[in-house]
Amino acid sequence: DSGVTQTPKHLITATGQRVTLRCSPRSGDLSVYWYQQSLDQGLQFLIQYYNGEERAKGNILERFSAQQFPDLHSELNLSSLELGDSALYFCASSVGGSGYEQYFGPGTRLTVT
Amino acid sequence: DAKTTQPNSMESNEEEPVHLPCNHSTISGTDYIHWYRQLPSQGPEYVIHGLTSNVNNRMASLAIAEDRKSSTLILHRATLRDAAVYYCILKPGNTPLVFGKGTRLSVIA
């Protein structure tokens, strides 16, 4: 158990819908990272927040957004969902902003039908 | 991003040491070498990282070549639980992790 929690574990929704994925980092970790893992693209970094502020951005679509709240939990919002958004979404956390040791949650499996 | 080259797959017998190689000939002076693994149906798991010197922790050892153009992750005694995809990643400072395809390790009982 990494100490990072993600909810829900599974999500099935229809194209065009909007969903919110939630992540609680390990106690004491200030950084939260979001990754997407699909069969064709592998594990891809989406975005990082550090102590409430956006720190780094990767291959995140404009339809996706994230935020980190004062209690340090984070939410990833996915809107106008397409079939290709079906994937595993992982959250990770680390103590500092440099991300030298990232601890990953169990993931949320999103299926868009 | 600096690139790494890893074998697609490797096989090991249970209770034997495993040496997982990683080539990174274009590594720069500020690149740290990170290893993560992903067990089936789980999120990635941090294993170890280092810059120039060899590193040991409870999970594994990291041996870094003197010219830093290659490194080896050593699992001292493989167990069935070590069957996973192992990722070798170069990370220059405050930049995101970039995962490649990794090495799929199979452990035979």
Side-chain angles (χ1 to χ4, degrees):
Chain A
D1 183 357
S2 66
V4 177
T5 59
Q6 290 186 248
T7 56
K9 286 187 179 171
H10 302 277
L11 201 47
I12 301 175
T13 189
T15 54
Q17 295 299 305
R18 173 190 168 93
V19 297
T20 297
L21 312 184
R22 183 188 167 105
C23 168
S24 292
R26 291 187 319 159
S27 176
D29 285 359
L30 297 179
S31 273
V32 169
Y33 310 78
W34 287 97
Y35 293 84
Q36 179 193 58
Q37 186 170 35
S38 59
L39 281 174
D40 54 346
Q41 296 286 336
L43 256 168
Q44 290 206 61
F45 167 74
L46 296 178
I47 197 164
Q48 176 197 357
Y49 278 82
Y50 174 73
N51 204 19
E53 301 288 327
E54 183 183 303
R55 174 66 73 100
K57 219 168 190 177
N59 299 320
I60 188 165
L61 300 171
E62 283 192 15
R63 301 183 285 108
F64 296 0
S65 65
Q67 54 184 326
Q68 186 179 28
F69 294 87
D71 67 352
L72 301 177
H73 91 271
S74 178
E75 293 181 355
L76 179 66
N77 300 297
L78 315 175
S79 61
S80 303
L81 284 167
E82 302 174 0
L83 295 177
D85 298 327
S86 296
L88 270 166
Y89 291 84
F90 290 106
C91 164
S93 72
S94 69
V95 172
S98 298
Y100 281 103
E101 291 183 35
Q102 294 183 30
Y103 293 86
F104 284 74
T108 293
R109 181 174 292 281
L110 174 66
T111 303
V112 182
T113 62
Chain B
D1 296 321
K3 288 194 171 182
T4 62
T5 305
Q6 299 178 253
N8 289 333
S9 62
M10 289 183 63
E11 208 171 75
S12 173
N13 293 319
E14 198 178 11
E15 298 188 9
E16 301 217 340
V18 183
H19 291 235
L20 295 158
C22 182
N23 287 322
H24 29 78
S25 58
T26 59
I27 192 170
S28 72
T30 56
D31 288 338
Y32 279 76
I33 302 159
H34 293 250
W35 284 83
Y36 282 77
R37 70 180 185 181
Q38 188 171 20
L39 279 63
S41 303
Q42 294 190 29
E45 178 183 26
Y46 167 80
V47 178
I48 202 166
H49 76 278
L51 183 61
T52 55
S53 305
N54 294 345
V55 185
N56 300 297
N57 66 20
R58 64 172 181 81
M59 285 182 69
S61 295
L62 175 59
I64 301 172
E66 201 168 326
D67 64 4
R68 300 186 72 232
K69 293 187 176 182
S70 66
S71 60
T72 303
L73 180 71
I74 302 165
L75 307 179
H76 296 286
R77 200 164 153 269
T79 68
L80 296 178
R81 197 198 169 273
D82 292 320
V85 178
Y86 287 78
Y87 298 97
C88 170
I89 302 168
L90 297 187
K91 186 177 177 316
N94 187 21
T95 59
L97 288 172
V98 177
F99 288 83
K101 295 191 184 304
T103 296
R104 183 173 297 277
L105 175 67
S106 302
V107 179
I108 303 166

